[in-house]
Structures are given as structure tokens and as C-alpha cells.
């Protein structure tokens, strides 16, 4: 069976949670699908949301209208700590040049903070505003060490938290970054407020 665009649009808060059977052995899996900030495909009548139809549904933050939104939230990347220096050649320590990539909800846009050079305790205090369509929207924070001249910056860890959990914690919290599912001892302080 397929999950269609119409199924999602008609569902309460545009969220569908289902438990589907896998094979004949009694195994099953549960999934939750939501649609946020997506324009209706031109042939949406009964169209199925699959990887093939992703380009039919163009994700835009502007398509979430104030009628669908609960309001606007301001997300602030405050500071980080627990970053460590690495020993490099000639016993010199490489102190990280830290920045964060942050995504909000289903938006394909990545907000990148400024890079704080040579700091184990970077402070950004930078904000970005987003339309809030539901409290289950996920905030993903990934910290990197910017490497001059390298093709790929070193990922230091990532964390995820829902807007609802962040607001329930008084609007600010310290999230520990994980790497390969394991705690790193590195934290990023974030704040979220309705504006």
C-alpha cells in the first residue's frame, strides 16, 4: 500500500502514523509521516509521495501560510563547550574552528553559524526565524571543525531536539552532541522563543 499526498493533507495536523506488517513472519514496523511546508504537486489527485515524486512537491518555507502556522519561532545558537584540541605534527595542538549547521523541521535549508576560530568554548549568539507548524518539528544541530583548504570539514557531533521539548524546557537547553550514536562530552546551548 502507498501513502498519498491526499492521505497526509486530510490527516489531523497533516501527520500519519501507521503500523505495517512486513512479510509473513509477523514482523511489523511503525512509521510517522508528516507534510510541512510543501506545495501541492500539480497532479496531486491521488498522487503517491515517493522519492520519484519529490521534485513534484517543492519544499518552501514560504508555502507554510500564517493560517497553517502556530507562529514564528526564533532559534538562537548561543555557545558551545567541551570541544577538545587535537595533537598535530610537531606536537602543535590544533584548536578547532567551530561552526554549526542547523536545520529546522522539514526545510531543506541549512542555517550555518559563523565560524569561531581557535576556540574550545565558541560563542555565536546568532539567531534565525522559522514558521512553526507543529511542536514536533525537529531541530538538528551539527558542529564542525572548519579545515582550511580541506575538501571536507571534520564533523564533531550532532544533536536533535523537537521544538516542543525545547519550549517545555523553558525555551533554552544544552544539547550533547553524539558521534556514531555515542556521547561526545561536547555541548551546544540553544534557545527558542515565540516572536
Amino acid at each position: 500500500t502507498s501513502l498519498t499526498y491526499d492521505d497526509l493533507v486530510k490527516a489531523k495536523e497533516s501527520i500519519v502514523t501507521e503500523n505495517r506488517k512486513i512479510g509473513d513472519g509477523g514482523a511489523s514496523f511503525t512509521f510517522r509521516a508528516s507534510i510541512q511546508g510543501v506545495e501541492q504537486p500539480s497532479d496531486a489527485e491521488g498522487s503517491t509521495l515517493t522519492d520519484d515524486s519529490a521534485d513534484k512537491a517543492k519544499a518552501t518555507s514560504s508555502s507554510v501560510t500564517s493560517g497553517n502556522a502556530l507562529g514564528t519561532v526564533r532559534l538562537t545558537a548561543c555557545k558551545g563547550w567541551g570541544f577538545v584540541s587535537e595533537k598535530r605534527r610537531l606536537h602543535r595542538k590544533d584548536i578547532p574552528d567551530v561552526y554549526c549547521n542547523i536545520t529546522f523541521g522539514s526545510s531543506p535549508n541549512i542555517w550555518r553559524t559563523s565560524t569561531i576560530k581557535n576556540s574550545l568554548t565558541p560563542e555565536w549568539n546568532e539567531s534565525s526565524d522559522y514558521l512553526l507548524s507543529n511542536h514536533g518539528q525537529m531541530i538538528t544541530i551539527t558542529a564542525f571543525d572548519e579545515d582550511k583548504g580541506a575538501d571536507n570539514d571534520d564533523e564533531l557531533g550532532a544533536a536533535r531536539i523537537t521544538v516542543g521539548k525545547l519550549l517545555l524546557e523553558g525555551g533554552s537547553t544544552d544539547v550533547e552532541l553524539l558521534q556514531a550514536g555515542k556521547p561526545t562530552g561536547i555541548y551546544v546551548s540553544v534557545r527558542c522563543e515565540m516572536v
Side-chain angles (χ1 to χ4, degrees):
T1 61
S2 297
L3 182 62
T4 67
Y5 177 87
D6 290 337
D7 293 337
L8 282 167
V9 171
K10 293 175 185 173
K12 182 179 179 187
E13 295 184 25
S14 296
I15 298 172
V16 173
T17 303
E18 289 190 17
N19 186 356
R20 293 198 180 172
K21 194 173 184 174
I22 304 173
D24 298 326
S28 65
F29 74 99
T30 302
F31 68 91
R32 182 176 181 162
S34 65
I35 189 166
Q36 302 167 1
V38 175
E39 293 177 5
Q40 180 174 353
S42 58
D43 61 344
E45 189 63 41
S47 65
T48 302
L49 288 178
T50 64
D51 289 340
D52 298 339
S53 64
D55 35 303
K56 293 180 185 174
K58 179 179 147 195
T60 61
S61 58
S62 62
S63 66
V64 177
T65 64
S66 58
N68 301 16
L70 300 175
T72 301
V73 294
R74 177 163 295 142
L75 184 62
T76 303
C78 302
K79 61 183 177 178
W81 67 93
F83 294 95
V84 295
S85 58
E86 293 184 20
K87 287 189 179 179
R88 296 288 185 185
R89 290 179 258 164
L90 304 174
H91 302 291
R92 289 180 49 195
K93 289 187 175 182
D94 179 27
I95 299 173
D97 302 324
V98 184
Y99 69 90
C100 291
N101 280 347
I102 300 171
T103 58
F104 186 90
S106 63
S107 172
N109 299 326
I110 298 173
W111 163 39
R112 179 181 166 156
T113 66
S114 59
T115 301
I116 306 300
K117 302 276 187 187
N118 298 316
S119 180
L120 300 177
T121 56
E123 291 190 26
W124 299 282
N125 292 313
E126 297 175 16
S127 300
S128 186
D129 292 350
Y130 299 93
L131 287 177
L132 178 64
S133 61
N134 71 64
H135 291 99
Q137 285 179 282
M138 190 66 64
I139 300 165
T140 304
I141 304 158
T142 309
F144 292 90
D145 177 9
E146 185 177 73
D147 292 328
K148 185 176 181 180
D151 288 339
N152 295 325
D153 294 339
D154 298 323
E155 183 177 323
L156 302 172
R160 294 168 46 127
I161 187 169
T162 63
V163 175
K165 183 173 182 182
L166 185 52
L167 290 172
L168 284 174
E169 291 184 13
S172 65
T173 193
D174 304 325
V175 291
E176 183 173 13
L177 304 183
L178 304 177
Q179 197 165 52
K182 297 181 180 174
T184 61
I186 300 171
Y187 292 84
V188 173
S189 176
V190 292
R191 186 173 60 242
C192 185
E193 59 188 331
M194 300 296 292
V195 291

